C-alpha cells in the first residue's frame, strides 16, 4: 500500500502539478515532509478548516504587513499571546527585535515571525507546519503567496524595503540576504544573516547544541575563499550569535594572516564583544578557543577546521 501511495503521488506530481493558486506543488510538499503522510483516517474536515482559516489570515497579512499593529489586527496577541497560541520575543540589539508567534490549527500550526524596529517590520516570515496530504489537497486552494521549501517547512519570506531603508538611515547598515550569482556564497551569507530560520531563531540566532558541522562548513567556505569583505558585512547581521561568531573569527584571522581591519570594522567588533554577555543561551564564546561541549573543544585545533579539499 505504501508503494502504491507513492506511485500515485508521483503521478499527481507529473500530471496535475498545477493547482488553483499554483503556489504549492507536490514536489515541494514531498521535499518538505520527507515523504511522511501520517494523517489519521478519516480526515476530520473541521480540523482541516481550522488550518485553512489560518492560511486565509496569512493571505490578509501578506497584503498589509508593514507594522506590528497590522499583525495584531489579524493575529491578536502577537506580542503577548492569548488563546491557543505561543509567542516569544528576542532583543537582537541595535534597536532590533524579533518575535515568533505560533498559532495552532487543526492538523498543523502556523508561525508568523517578524524582525522589526519600533513598530515597523523589516522582514516577515510565514511558516506552515502541516502534513503534506493536508497541505497539497486542501491548503493549495487557498494560499495566495509563493511558498518555498526551507528547513523542511513550507515558508514564505518578505522584506519590507521601505522600512529597511528607514532603519539603515537611522541606525546604520543591516545585512540581510544578498543577491549573488555564486549560489554557495549566497547560501552562506543567508545562513549567517538570517534570524528567522525555519524553526524560528534557532539557527544561527541561537546555536542550541554547540556549533555543528554545517556551521563550520559554511563559514570555512568564506575563509578559504579569502572573502574577507563578506565576513566584514556579516558583523552587521541582525543575528546576535552570528555577529559574535564572525567578530571572533575576524579577530583570529587578523592575528594569523595579518588582514586589514579598519577603524570602522574594529569599532563594530568592539561593540559586539562588549555586549556579548547580553546574548542568552547558545554559544557565547563562539568558535575561537572554546567550543562548548563539542568535539572541537577537545582537539582545540582551529586551523584544522579551516582546511578544505
Amino acid at each position: 500500500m505504501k508503494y502504491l501511495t507513492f506511485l500515485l503521488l508521483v503521478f499527481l506530481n507529473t500530471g496535475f502539478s498545477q493547482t488553483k493558486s499554483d503556489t504549492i506543488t507536490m514536489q515541494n510538499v514531498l521535499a518538505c515532509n520527507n515523504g511522511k503522510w501520517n494523517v489519521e483516517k478519516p480526515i476530520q474536515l473541521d480540523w482541516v478548516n481550522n488550518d485553512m482559516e489560518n492560511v486565509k489570515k496569512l493571505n490578509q497579512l501578506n497584503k498589509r504587513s508593514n507594522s506590528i499593529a497590522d499583525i495584531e489586527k489579524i493575529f491578536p496577541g502577537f506580542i503577548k499571546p492569548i488563546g491557543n497560541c505561543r509567542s516569544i520575543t528576542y532583543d537582537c540589539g541595535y534597536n532590533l527585535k524579533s518575535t515568533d508567534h505560533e498559532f495552532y490549527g487543526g492538523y498543523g500550526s502556523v508561525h508568523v515571525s517578524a524582525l522589526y524596529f519600533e513598530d515597523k517590520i523589516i522582514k516577515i516570515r510565514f511558516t506552515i507546519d502541516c502534513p503534506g496530504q493536508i497541505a497539497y489537497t486542501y491548503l493549495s486552494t487557498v494560499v495566495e503567496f509563493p511558498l518555498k521549501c526551507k528547513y523542511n517547512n513550507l515558508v514564505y519570506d518578505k522584506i519590507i524595503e521601505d522600512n529597511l531603508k528607514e532603519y539603515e538611515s537611522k541606525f546604520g547598515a543591516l545585512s540581510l540576504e544578498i543577491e549573488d550569482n555564486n549560489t554557495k556564497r549566497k547560501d552562506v551569507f543567508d545562513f549567517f544573516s538570517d534570524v528567522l530560520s525555519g524553526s524560528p531563531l534557532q539557527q544561527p540566532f541561537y546555536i542550541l547544541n554547540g556549533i555543528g558541522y554545517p556551521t563550520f562548513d559554511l563559514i570555512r567556505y568564506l575563509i578559504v575563499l579569502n572573502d574577507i569583505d563578506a565576513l566584514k558585512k556579516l558583523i552587521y547581521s541582525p543575528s546576535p550569535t552570528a555577529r559574535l561568531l564572525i567578530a571572533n573569527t575576524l579577530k583570529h584571522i587578523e592575528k594569523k594572516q595579518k588582514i586589514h581591519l579598519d577603524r570602522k570594522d574594529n569599532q563594530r567588533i568592539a561593540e559586539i564583544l562588549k555586549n556579548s554577555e547580553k546574548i542568552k543561551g547558545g554559544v557565547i564564546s563562539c568558535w575561537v578557543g572554546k567550543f562548548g561541549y563539542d568535539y572541537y573543544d577537545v582537539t582545540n585545533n582551529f586551523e584544522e577546521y579551516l582546511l578544505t579539499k
Side-chain angles (χ1 to χ4, degrees):
M1 192 63 188
K2 182 188 299 183
Y3 296 110
L4 286 174
T5 302
F6 178 77
L7 289 173
L8 175 61
L9 297 179
V10 171
F11 174 74
L12 286 172
N13 188 36
T14 55
F16 299 99
S17 62
Q18 299 295 314
T19 67
K20 287 184 180 179
S21 63
D22 198 28
T23 54
I24 302 180
T25 64
M26 185 62 73
Q27 183 178 4
N28 64 22
V29 170
L30 276 172
C32 283
N33 285 269
N34 297 319
K36 296 178 181 178
W37 299 80
N38 299 321
V39 181
E40 61 188 82
K41 302 292 176 67
I43 292 174
Q44 296 186 31
L45 291 182
D46 55 337
W47 286 20
V48 172
N49 287 333
N50 285 339
D51 290 326
M52 293 178 71
E53 288 303 313
N54 281 331
V55 171
K56 288 177 181 178
K57 292 179 181 179
L58 292 184
N59 290 336
Q60 298 177 50
L61 192 55
N62 178 41
K63 298 169 185 175
R64 54 192 287 192
S65 57
N66 287 315
S67 69
I68 299 300
D70 289 333
I71 302 180
E72 287 277 2
K73 290 175 184 175
I74 297 169
F75 286 94
F78 179 72
I79 301 296
K80 295 182 179 179
I82 56 176
N84 187 23
C85 60
R86 179 186 64 84
S87 188
I88 300 176
T89 296
Y90 294 94
D91 187 347
C92 300
Y94 299 98
N95 300 290
L96 287 169
K97 289 188 177 180
S98 186
T99 295
D100 171 57
H101 180 85
E102 183 177 11
F103 193 93
Y104 302 108
Y107 281 99
S109 59
V110 166
H111 289 271
V112 179
S113 303
L115 176 70
Y116 56 95
F117 70 102
E118 297 167 353
D119 186 48
K120 299 171 184 177
I121 295 171
I122 295 176
K123 179 175 180 180
I124 190 166
R125 169 172 290 166
F126 309 152
T127 304
I128 300 175
D129 180 12
C130 205
Q133 182 178 343
I134 301 297
Y136 185 74
T137 307
Y138 298 97
L139 298 187
S140 61
T141 63
V142 297
V143 174
E144 295 178 2
F145 43 82
L147 286 168
K148 60 183 176 181
C149 182
K150 190 169 186 178
Y151 307 114
N152 295 320
N153 286 302
L154 294 169
V155 171
Y156 166 72
D157 287 328
K158 179 179 179 181
I159 293 177
I160 314 300
E161 294 291 346
D162 289 344
N163 290 346
L164 174 59
K165 291 177 182 177
E166 182 178 345
Y167 175 88
E168 292 185 335
S169 69
K170 286 184 176 181
F171 305 112
L174 176 64
S175 294
L176 289 170
E177 290 84 347
I178 59 170
E179 295 299 327
D180 199 320
N181 292 329
N182 182 335
T183 55
K184 174 70 172 178
R185 184 174 182 269
K186 183 178 184 303
D187 287 346
V188 175
F189 204 91
D190 291 355
F191 178 88
F192 286 107
S193 190
D194 191 0
V195 301
L196 303 172
S197 304
S199 182
L201 307 177
Q202 293 183 4
Q203 183 181 341
F205 189 94
Y206 291 142
I207 304 171
L208 297 180
N209 299 309
I211 300 176
Y213 168 76
T215 309
F216 274 96
D217 186 53
L218 289 168
I219 198 170
R220 183 176 61 186
Y221 176 80
L222 294 180
I223 295 171
V224 173
L225 198 65
N226 199 32
D227 195 344
I228 304 301
D229 287 340
L231 288 169
K232 288 180 180 180
K233 288 179 181 178
L234 287 174
I235 57 177
Y236 294 93
S237 165
S239 164
T241 304
R243 292 195 301 257
L244 187 55
L245 177 64
I246 301 299
N248 274 320
T249 300
L250 279 170
K251 293 304 289 183
H252 181 88
I253 297 175
E254 180 186 38
K255 179 181 177 182
K256 293 290 184 179
Q257 300 181 14
K258 308 298 182 183
I259 64 168
H260 176 65
L261 297 176
D262 62 25
R263 184 180 63 82
K264 185 179 178 182
D265 298 329
N266 281 312
Q267 183 178 352
R268 176 70 172 190
I269 290 172
E271 289 177 359
I272 293 170
L273 298 178
K274 181 180 179 181
N275 294 309
S276 62
E277 69 277 6
K278 295 181 180 179
I279 302 175
K280 298 177 181 178
V283 179
I284 301 303
S285 298
C286 289
W287 74 332
V288 178
K290 184 175 182 180
F291 297 92
Y293 297 99
D294 282 340
Y295 165 76
Y296 316 106
D297 193 33
V298 178
T299 63
N300 200 28
N301 188 352
F302 180 83
E303 302 298 333
E304 177 183 345
Y305 300 104
L306 302 185
L307 299 176
T308 190
K309 294 181 179 180

